[in-house]
Amino acid sequence: MALSGPRGPAAALWSRASRALSRAAAFRPRRVAVLSKTTRLEFERQRSRLKGEAEGELEERLSSKGSSYSGLLERHRVHNNNVRRLVDTLRAEGIEVQLVKRRDYTEETVQWADAIISAGGDGTMLLSASKVFGRIKPVIGVNTDPERSQGHLCLPVRYTQCFSEALQKLRRGEFRWQWRQRIRICLEGAGMKANPVDLHEQQLSLEQHSIAHCSTAQPASCSRSNSEAQLLPVRALNEVFVGESLSSRHHCHSHKQSLKFSLHRASYYEISIDDGPWEKHKNSGLNMCTGTGSRAWSYNINKLASQEVEDLLSIVKQRSLVNLTIDQDFVQQVTEHYNQSLVFCPEEPKIFFSIREPIVNRVFTSHPHRGFTSKMCVRSRCWDACMVVDGGTSFEFNDGAIATLTVDEDDALCTVVLED
């Protein structure tokens, strides 16, 4: 995947950062840990075993949900074949390989390896990065099922079938280093509990998010005052999201009948941008991303559709009496220009925040509802909220908890750029 930078004002900075990537020395690791993703079939089989189902019952259950067991089996085989090819290639070069799954991927595994290879898609790459701290140990993504996975963070898809070529380029130094900035989080305050929940394990156990938090919380930590700031043992490569965890599933009892009905629960918190004044916000959640994450969820939160751009241009034409030719080509150019301005270089040490669906009145503000910052402080006023890091790890984040998000260049993740 040849990286393409944003257009507009960010283009010059992106270009300078790209030129700063010097040619790498030969990369010759002796020991490599390969983290293999959990395929959908493996995931369903794990859930099936927890339920005590037989394989035939699993097939019936998948069929009842409109899923094809044979299709999942085929994708499972494609992934495993590509993982086998990757591991065989490494071993053929005399490299010691440790092949692990999610539950066996530990800090000890990371310490043992000279490099980590993520065998899966972007989600597996995020998991691989989650246990790597510091700027030294490289993490390389290989997309093992390009037909079903985008793999923005992985090597170009053609190297899936010919990883030996990619490995030779790495060994000859025909690549560039790229240090992707990450977000670190400090938590403090009365509503803070630094007990993480693995959302993958939560899915397996079929627990609701709030129940999962209660089951993993340690009584000692719940009883004491958590006023002392704690640096969380995770770094966000993509984004950090803050919001109520059950915003559309909150049940209340009517005072007339014992019937349950659903209420929407907005997320309520205060934010301080770059040590500025605290401002009250109520909305559907707060997303804070890195340059890597600016191509992911953040992009989809903020991007405009061509239909919206066309409507805005029509209003401009009507109100300003400008003789503007609004054809599809022009609308598409404006749309792409705006959307590309939302993307910034993964090496830039800054955070881009986005406030989703803000409620605006005389109490709550929405200005600014998105922008760049080097430091973001968030004070929760929520009742059942979570702070989710890279979609995989969640922390309880309720009334009184304060999170401080910053970017420290010592946390940057070492990756490679291998041109297609």
Side-chain angles (χ1 to χ4, degrees):
M1 176 182 65
L3 294 177
S4 59
R7 301 172 187 174
L13 186 53
W14 176 285
S15 178
R16 288 197 297 272
S18 296
R19 287 196 300 270
L21 287 170
S22 59
R23 282 286 177 183
F27 178 58
R28 299 178 180 273
R30 293 183 299 107
R31 297 184 294 192
V32 170
V34 177
L35 174 62
S36 175
K37 79 171 182 180
T38 301
T39 66
R40 169 74 186 282
L41 182 61
E42 289 174 321
F43 178 78
E44 293 292 352
R45 282 174 172 170
Q46 289 174 28
R47 294 183 67 177
S48 183
R49 283 195 293 270
L50 290 174
K51 290 182 174 183
E53 290 180 334
E55 192 77 2
E57 292 176 301
L58 170 60
E59 291 188 46
E60 291 179 5
R61 178 165 60 82
L62 290 173
S63 178
S64 69
K65 297 192 298 182
S67 296
S68 168
Y69 180 87
S70 60
L72 296 183
L73 180 59
E74 174 61 23
R75 304 326 305 174
H76 176 76
R77 288 171 175 167
V78 168
H79 165 74
N80 282 339
N81 287 338
N82 286 325
V83 171
R84 190 178 302 110
R85 182 183 299 109
L86 187 157
V87 171
D88 289 346
T89 300
L90 291 169
R91 287 174 174 163
E93 294 292 331
I95 299 172
E96 188 178 352
V97 179
Q98 191 175 135
L99 178 62
V100 296
K101 287 287 190 178
R102 171 185 288 267
R103 290 190 173 183
D104 300 319
Y105 184 57
T106 63
E107 293 180 2
E108 289 73 20
T109 303
V110 172
Q111 292 173 0
W112 171 86
D114 298 320
I116 310 295
I117 293 183
S118 164
D122 287 339
T124 312
M125 182 68 175
L126 293 174
L127 175 61
S128 299
S130 68
K131 296 189 186 314
V132 177
F133 296 91
R135 300 169 54 91
I136 299 175
K137 189 155 299 184
V139 180
I140 301 169
V142 177
N143 190 342
T144 54
D145 192 1
E147 291 184 16
R148 298 297 178 90
S149 175
Q150 186 66 36
H152 282 298
L153 302 178
C154 301
L155 297 179
V157 295
R158 75 183 190 86
Y159 293 118
T160 298
Q161 297 294 325
C162 55
F163 182 72
S164 58
E165 181 182 344
L167 183 59
Q168 291 306 316
K169 286 187 175 182
L170 292 171
R171 292 171 72 87
R172 292 194 300 265
E174 296 175 5
F175 67 96
R176 293 177 293 165
W177 295 116
Q178 183 171 61
W179 282 270
R180 294 177 179 268
Q181 299 296 331
R182 296 189 285 183
I183 299 172
R184 62 166 52 188
I185 309 163
C186 280
L187 273 185
E188 59 185 310
M192 181 271 289
K193 293 177 184 176
N195 306 101
V197 167
D198 185 321
L199 298 184
H200 176 84
E201 297 298 329
Q202 176 201 340
Q203 285 180 305
L204 282 177
S205 65
L206 303 178
E207 288 181 325
Q208 289 186 354
H209 186 272
S210 56
I211 297 175
H213 270 294
C214 291
S215 64
T216 57
Q218 300 173 1
S221 64
C222 294
S223 60
R224 68 181 176 86
S225 174
N226 292 313
S227 58
E228 185 178 348
Q230 295 186 39
L231 178 63
L232 297 186
V234 292
R235 302 291 183 269
L237 179 58
N238 260 4
E239 75 270 317
V240 178
F241 177 78
V242 173
E244 288 281 2
S245 58
L246 300 177
S247 61
S248 62
R249 292 182 287 161
H250 176 54
H251 292 119
C252 293
H253 288 277
S254 167
H255 68 281
K256 292 184 178 180
Q257 301 177 356
S258 59
L259 298 176
K260 290 184 177 181
F261 58 93
S262 294
L263 291 176
H264 172 73
R265 181 186 291 168
S267 300
Y268 174 25
Y269 50 82
E270 301 169 10
I271 65 173
S272 169
I273 303 170
D274 289 328
D275 292 322
W278 290 94
E279 296 181 343
K280 296 180 179 180
H281 288 262
K282 184 174 282 191
N283 46 63
S284 296
L286 173 64
N287 181 287
M288 296 157 284
C289 78
T290 63
T292 298
S294 67
R295 291 180 173 273
W297 190 10
S298 173
Y299 179 83
N300 288 286
I301 290 172
N302 293 288
K303 72 178 182 181
L304 292 179
S306 57
Q307 181 180 359
E308 296 168 324
V309 173
E310 185 174 5
D311 291 344
L312 288 171
L313 290 174
S314 297
I315 294 172
V316 170
K317 183 176 181 179
Q318 293 170 6
R319 297 297 298 269
S320 63
L321 300 178
V322 175
N323 185 19
L324 192 63
T325 301
I326 305 176
D327 55 27
Q328 289 303 310
D329 287 342
F330 180 65
V331 171
Q332 190 63 31
Q333 289 175 15
V334 174
T335 303
E336 290 180 359
H337 186 87
Y338 172 81
N339 289 341
Q340 284 298 318
S341 71
L342 302 171
V343 178
F344 62 104
C345 178
E347 292 192 294
E348 291 189 58
K350 60 185 181 181
I351 300 168
F352 183 74
F353 67 91
S354 307
I355 296 174
R356 301 175 61 210
E357 301 168 329
I359 296 173
V360 182
N361 53 37
R362 62 183 179 83
V363 177
F364 299 102
T365 182
S366 70
H367 179 76
H369 71 274
R370 68 172 180 271
F372 290 100
T373 179
S374 59
K375 180 180 180 181
M376 188 76 155
C377 296
V378 186
R379 178 188 287 129
S380 175
R381 296 303 182 201
C382 298
W383 294 103
D384 186 21
C386 56
M387 173 176 289
V388 181
V389 179
D390 284 340
T393 305
S394 174
F395 297 88
E396 192 170 340
F397 189 65
N398 290 324
D399 188 31
I402 300 175
T404 301
L405 289 82
T406 56
V407 175
D408 190 316
E409 296 199 8
D410 288 339
D411 296 328
L413 183 72
C414 181
T415 63
V416 301
V417 177
L418 194 61
E419 303 295 348
D420 197 353

